[in-house]
Amino acid sequence: MASEITYAEVKFKNESPSPAVKVPPETKKPEHHPQKYPLWLPWLISLLLLVVCFALVVVLLVVLFWHSSDQPRVLQQQFSEWECNSAVPQGTDRGWTCCPEGWRRFERSCYFLSLDKMNWTESEQNCTGMGSHLVVINSRAEQEFLSLEIKQPSYRVNFYIGLFEEKEGHWQWVDKTPYNETAAFWKKGEPNNRNGGNTAIMNVPTEPPYNWNDVKSYWKYYWICEAAAVTV
């Protein structure tokens, strides 16, 4: 018996193709172009910043100056030119002590020595108009300082100070500072009220420190103004 050969048809299904892998397109690197600006631009910016900083410092000093609590603003409004010293006054954290130009400074006060003569009342009014008052002497050191100052120039002989006789035998300073006889600097025998003197002067020829003399208030003499120094 002849053997039968059986053929079987085997069909293989086509496998699905492998998914395509998408490669991202190559990113194009941006081209770097050198920044174009004038070479002087950084210098200009630096200069502007410097100017701004300087302006801020000036404004700060002006604000501190005008708002200083140590001095009435009247004095500051009267004068546009000032002389400042960098020494820090004791008891303050500010760094400059200033007086109007032409005034003399001692410790924390400024002094103006007149070049013309007036009576006592006119002298005090003149000082008040400048934001000050006739000088009030509080210490021997201040008295000695002023005694040297009034000798320059030498032609001036007598200077009014801010001391007056409120009533007979009762002397008073213009700023209401209590009068202390033990801290007064009268010449020997003064005040004698010999000629009705009711105001006080410093007499230049008299050897300091005791050089005060009483005089009539309507006599005309030179005068000394005092104001607190401005600190900024």
Side-chain angles (χ1 to χ4, degrees):
M1 177 177 174
S3 61
E4 294 181 0
I5 299 173
T6 303
Y7 295 93
E9 184 177 356
V10 179
K11 292 183 178 181
F12 295 92
K13 293 183 179 181
N14 294 331
E15 295 181 1
S16 56
S18 300
V21 178
K22 295 183 178 181
V23 179
E26 183 180 355
T27 303
K28 188 176 182 181
K29 295 182 180 180
E31 297 181 3
H32 293 283
H33 297 284
Q35 189 175 0
K36 295 181 180 180
Y37 54 81
L39 295 177
W40 49 261
L41 185 59
W43 293 99
L44 178 61
I45 294 174
S46 300
L47 179 61
L48 290 175
L49 289 175
L50 183 62
V51 170
V52 170
C53 291
F54 179 77
L56 289 175
V57 171
V58 171
V59 170
L60 180 61
L61 288 175
V62 170
V63 170
L64 289 174
F65 181 81
W66 284 100
H67 290 277
S68 171
S69 60
D70 297 328
Q71 176 60 43
R73 186 171 296 181
V74 176
L75 180 68
Q76 298 172 7
Q77 293 173 341
Q78 292 293 322
F79 301 95
S80 59
E81 296 184 359
W82 294 73
E83 295 177 353
C84 297
N85 189 290
S86 61
V88 180
Q90 186 176 3
T92 179
D93 57 355
R94 297 174 180 177
W96 294 89
T97 303
C98 305
C99 289
E101 187 175 13
W103 290 50
R104 325 288 175 85
R105 187 179 71 84
F106 177 72
E107 294 181 350
R108 301 180 68 175
S109 293
C110 305
Y111 304 90
F112 174 78
L113 278 63
S114 77
L115 297 174
D116 57 347
K117 295 180 180 180
M118 293 183 180
N119 62 41
W120 191 93
T121 301
E122 292 170 340
S123 299
E124 170 60 11
Q125 290 174 346
N126 195 283
C127 290
T128 302
M130 293 190 293
S132 60
H133 53 71
L134 280 173
V135 63
V136 175
I137 299 173
N138 297 303
S139 68
R140 186 186 182 98
E142 184 178 18
Q143 166 70 10
E144 291 176 345
F145 166 79
L146 292 172
S147 295
L148 292 176
E149 292 296 319
I150 61 178
K151 293 181 180 296
Q152 305 170 10
S154 59
Y155 66 83
R156 294 177 292 183
V157 177
N158 296 314
F159 285 83
Y160 274 123
I161 62 177
L163 187 63
F164 66 99
E165 196 174 33
E166 188 175 37
K167 59 183 179 180
E168 188 173 352
H170 182 76
W171 291 85
Q172 175 68 54
W173 290 106
V174 291
D175 69 345
K176 306 302 181 183
T177 295
Y179 171 72
N180 184 356
E181 289 186 4
T182 61
F185 299 94
W186 295 104
K187 290 170 55 177
K188 186 177 181 179
E190 299 290 344
N192 56 29
N193 200 27
R194 182 178 303 167
N195 297 314
N198 57 353
T199 55
I201 59 168
M202 294 180 70
N203 181 254
V204 175
T206 303
E207 188 67 24
Y210 298 97
N211 55 12
W212 295 1
N213 190 51
D214 65 332
V215 296
K216 294 180 179 179
S217 61
Y218 59 81
W219 291 352
K220 292 189 175 183
Y221 295 117
Y222 300 100
W223 32 278
I224 306 173
C225 296
E226 179 184 8
V230 175
T231 54
V232 296

